[in-house]
Structures are given as structure tokens and as C-alpha cells.
Amino acid sequence: MRTGTSDPITPSDGNAPPPVSPFLPLLDEGPMRAELLRQIRRLELEISRFAVANCPYDTPPGSQRRGPAILTTAQLEEIRDELLVARTALHDLVVERVTARLRASAPVPGSGPSRLRRLNRLGRKGS
């Protein structure tokens, strides 16, 4: 049985931070977390601006895992990935709606500027 305070594998009484394996290098997650938070902020801002401009009556997509907690780096990555999917889905929805509107308002064959020119020519010949 191992004893002693310098042994990182010894179980703690619950008041100490979790033990660190002596075989793994220490990783400073600060810069990575800051970058993930920056990406999340940018995606949320982009999604909200796009939603307001293109579909103001729809509820914009968002992450379900938000709240007053310190999230792990893995959770931040999941939120970023969810927002990337939500942004793509929102863009696809708007493209689909615009395409449907364009199809619905397509000109009827035989109408439009060419028909008006023909009618004008015919009107001039008849007068």
C-alpha cells in the first residue's frame, strides 16, 4: 500500500484536487478554452444576426446545455459543434425558403418584357 503526501496516486479525502498521473504532461487548457469561448461567441452572434435578418419569426437554434456552470473543454467543444450544425441548418432553411419563393414567382411563359414588346409593336402597326 502506498502512503505519503507526495504520491499522486493516493486517494484523497475529497478536499484535494484530483490526482494527476505522473506519466502525463500537464496541459494548460486556458488558451484552448479561451479560443473555444471566442468561437462560441462568434457563432452565436452570427446565428442571431442571420436569423433576425432572414427569418425573424422563427426561434433561432441554440444549445440546450447552457447555464451557470463552468463547462469542461469537451463540453465547450460540443457546444461549438452544435452551433456549427445549427448555423448550417439555418442557412439551409433560408436557402430552401428563398428557392421556394423564386419557384412560386417564376414568370409564366409568354408573359413578361418580350410579350410587352410584341404587343407594343402590334399596337403601332394597327394605328
Side-chain angles (χ1 to χ4, degrees):
M1 180 162 112
R2 295 180 182 188
T3 59
T5 57
S6 64
D7 184 7
I9 308 297
T10 304
S12 82
D13 60 359
N15 292 328
V20 176
S21 171
F23 305 110
L24 295 176
L26 292 176
L27 177 66
D28 180 16
E29 290 187 344
M32 182 171 47
R33 292 177 60 81
E35 176 61 18
L36 284 169
L37 290 170
R38 186 196 66 76
Q39 291 175 12
I40 289 170
R41 274 192 304 273
R42 183 183 54 80
L43 285 167
E44 286 177 335
L45 183 62
E46 181 181 330
I47 288 170
S48 62
R49 286 181 177 168
F50 187 82
V52 167
N54 295 289
C55 39
Y57 302 109
D58 294 341
T59 304
S63 175
Q64 301 297 323
R65 287 185 295 236
R66 300 305 292 267
I70 296 176
L71 302 175
T72 65
T73 303
Q75 289 171 321
L76 289 173
E77 288 174 338
E78 288 175 14
I79 289 173
R80 187 228 15 229
D81 294 343
E82 286 175 10
L83 289 171
L84 286 169
V85 169
R87 180 182 66 175
T88 302
L90 188 61
H91 281 262
D92 292 346
L93 175 68
V94 169
V95 167
E96 191 176 296
R97 286 181 179 172
V98 169
T99 304
R101 278 190 222 139
L102 289 174
R103 283 189 191 130
S105 66
V108 177
S111 66
S114 62
R115 183 169 185 228
L116 289 175
R117 281 192 292 267
R118 277 185 286 142
L119 289 173
N120 282 336
R121 276 187 257 144
L122 289 173
R124 286 186 204 136
K125 288 180 184 177
S127 31

